[in-house]
Amino acid sequence: MQLNAPLDMHLHLRDGEMLEKIAKSSAETFSGAIIMPNLVPPVSTKEEVVAYRQRIEKAIGKETFTPYMTLFFKPSYDKAFLESIKDEITAIKLYPAGITTNSEGGVSGFDVEELRPALEAMSELNIPLCVHGETNGFVMDREAEFASIYERLATAFPKLKIIMEHITTKSSVDLLDKFENLYASITIHHLLITLDDVAGGMLKPHLFCKPIAKRPEDRDALLKVALAAHPKVMFGSDSAPHPKHAKEACGCAAGVFTSPIALQLLAELFDNNNASVENLQAFVSGNAQNIYDISVPNKTVFLEKTPFKVPSDYNGVVPMYADEEIAYSITKVENN
Ligand code: NCD
Ligand code: ZN
């Protein structure tokens, strides 16, 4: 099997030492990725975006890989600021305040009038809004409760492209066909696991993330649109590395590290479900190119159905399925 120009439309590359350790695991096999801005402090000025991109480019070295940069949403962004930064970014990411790692400076209340100046300017400038859609409610219901906020935003800003990030519930899937301007990214782990895998037996810290994996019927709804390559969904790993000591701790950091095995797992998943390579190609590249209207550097990844033993760690970061065998291996990558 071969995949052309794979894209990861939701990726945490971190900064400093962690960036140096993990950047290549995405850059070697993906053509590009949407880079999340939740650094400390979050990426929120032009200087910060430019400097972060340069640090990423340095960390990926000679690999062919485009970091599609994002900014951390603040209601105070005005049109002049957004115009000045437009060419440096591909999207802006909105976090509800305190909902996940490094999101303390995010939005609370979701008052449309408070958000209107920034969101209308984004809409006019054609800058997509990526959203972490969870409320502060009961953990299993947070995303479903956020549906009414998605509806409110999609209705109030009909020309704004809104991407529901890392969706995990049937309620989010159902919104895709209700609102023309709603799109979604889906991770590989939410296509594979449910809450049972995280906490049904021995607790698995390396499968703990936000949003938490949900019920079988939710996973089935995600699988249905991903395997069919629904044109409004695209792959976004939400690969979110944390140091081993922060995961294997009392007080485990949220995030699953999947970037080095994401394409192999996708190949296995589509194969097991008799879904076509064409659909996988659309899910992992074509749909994202259409949704974001981006040009992408070429790269061809060759995969084979040969077992691959997932390493226990990548430079000290423990991946999903560490020490386990997965069905597909990457045999070659051509940059062309
Ligand atoms: C992400 C992180 O660690 O930055 N964690 C996660 O569980 N997914 C943040 C996020 O996307 O929520
Ligand atoms: Zn994320």
Side-chain angles (χ1 to χ4, degrees):
M1 173 191 307
Q2 77 190 57
L3 295 174
N4 297 314
L7 293 169
D8 182 348
M9 303 311 281
H10 182 130
L11 176 65
H12 298 271
L13 276 185
R14 311 300 194 205
D15 208 352
E17 206 183 320
M18 183 60 94
L19 170 64
E20 300 291 330
K21 283 182 180 173
I22 54 97
K24 286 209 168 84
S25 70
S26 290
E28 282 168 0
T29 52
F30 286 90
S31 277
I34 291 271
I35 311 298
M36 288 296 138
N38 62 331
L39 305 183
V40 186
V43 180
S44 51
T45 66
K46 187 168 177 178
E47 293 67 34
E48 285 165 354
V49 175
V50 171
Y52 186 33
R53 193 218 323 274
Q54 288 167 351
R55 295 197 295 280
I56 291 169
E57 282 166 353
K58 189 157 167 272
I60 62 184
K62 57 177 182 14
E63 298 296 339
T64 305
F65 177 84
T66 302
Y68 298 99
M69 304 304 290
T70 65
L71 201 65
F72 188 98
F73 179 84
K74 290 187 180 168
S76 58
Y77 292 154
D78 61 18
K79 191 159 182 200
F81 169 72
L82 293 171
E83 247 163 2
S84 74
I85 202 165
K86 186 181 175 344
D87 294 343
E88 299 295 340
I89 58 171
T90 302
I92 296 183
K93 174 73 185 285
L94 185 155
Y95 291 89
I99 204 66
T100 189
T101 312
N102 304 336
S103 62
E104 290 70 23
V107 170
S108 15
F110 287 91
D111 175 45
V112 167
E113 291 320 309
E114 190 200 341
L115 303 175
R116 186 176 295 283
L119 294 185
E120 245 162 29
M122 285 174 63
S123 179
E124 282 161 25
L125 295 168
N126 213 6
I127 303 173
L129 178 76
C130 302
V131 180
H132 183 121
E134 289 195 284
T135 67
N136 288 308
F138 179 67
V139 68
M140 287 293 280
D141 298 334
R142 286 175 190 175
E143 185 172 313
E145 286 174 5
F146 202 88
S148 63
I149 300 178
Y150 278 133
E151 293 187 5
R152 209 189 304 158
L153 295 176
T155 307
F157 308 100
K159 295 248 153 58
L160 178 67
K161 258 184 197 171
I162 301 173
I163 293 120
M164 303 184 285
E165 293 295 331
H166 45 49
I167 58 170
T168 63
T169 61
K170 183 172 182 311
S171 55
S172 299
V173 171
D174 291 342
L175 287 177
L176 287 169
D177 293 326
K178 281 201 200 134
F179 293 89
E180 206 184 324
N181 56 335
L182 287 183
Y183 303 82
S185 67
I186 305 181
T187 74
I188 181 63
H189 49 285
H190 290 120
L191 291 169
L192 289 170
I193 65 170
T194 66
L195 184 61
D196 243 17
D197 298 285
V198 186
M202 300 271 265
L203 187 68
K204 297 281 173 50
H206 298 290
L207 298 181
F208 173 65
C209 66
K210 302 289 178 68
I212 192 103
K214 305 286 187 319
R215 296 177 174 80
E217 52 272 34
D218 291 307
R219 181 181 54 183
D220 289 348
L222 300 176
L223 273 170
K224 195 170 165 205
V225 283
L227 296 170
H230 185 301
K232 295 177 88 182
V233 304
M234 56 198 153
F235 175 63
S237 71
D238 194 17
S239 182
H242 292 275
K244 187 174 177 180
H245 65 81
K247 293 293 291 175
E248 297 178 5
C250 110
C252 163
V256 183
F257 179 53
T258 52
S259 53
I261 53 163
L263 293 177
Q264 301 90 314
L265 290 177
L266 282 168
E268 183 175 351
L269 178 76
F270 274 63
D271 184 7
N272 286 346
N273 287 281
N274 299 315
S276 69
V277 180
E278 289 72 32
N279 282 9
L280 175 53
Q281 179 64 47
F283 180 60
V284 82
S285 188
N287 289 357
Q289 292 186 47
N290 293 335
I291 293 167
Y292 275 94
D293 195 16
I294 46 175
S295 59
V296 177
N298 225 339
K299 181 173 281 196
T300 308
V301 179
F302 296 80
L303 295 122
E304 204 174 79
K305 198 167 185 176
T306 306
F308 174 67
K309 170 118 188 284
V310 180
S312 54
D313 70 270
Y314 288 85
N315 288 326
V317 183
V318 181
M320 184 182 183
Y321 295 151
D323 295 319
E324 291 180 43
E325 212 167 72
I326 59 177
Y328 273 78
S329 304
I330 292 177
T331 52
K332 188 170 61 161
V333 179
E334 270 174 12
N335 291 300
N336 36 28

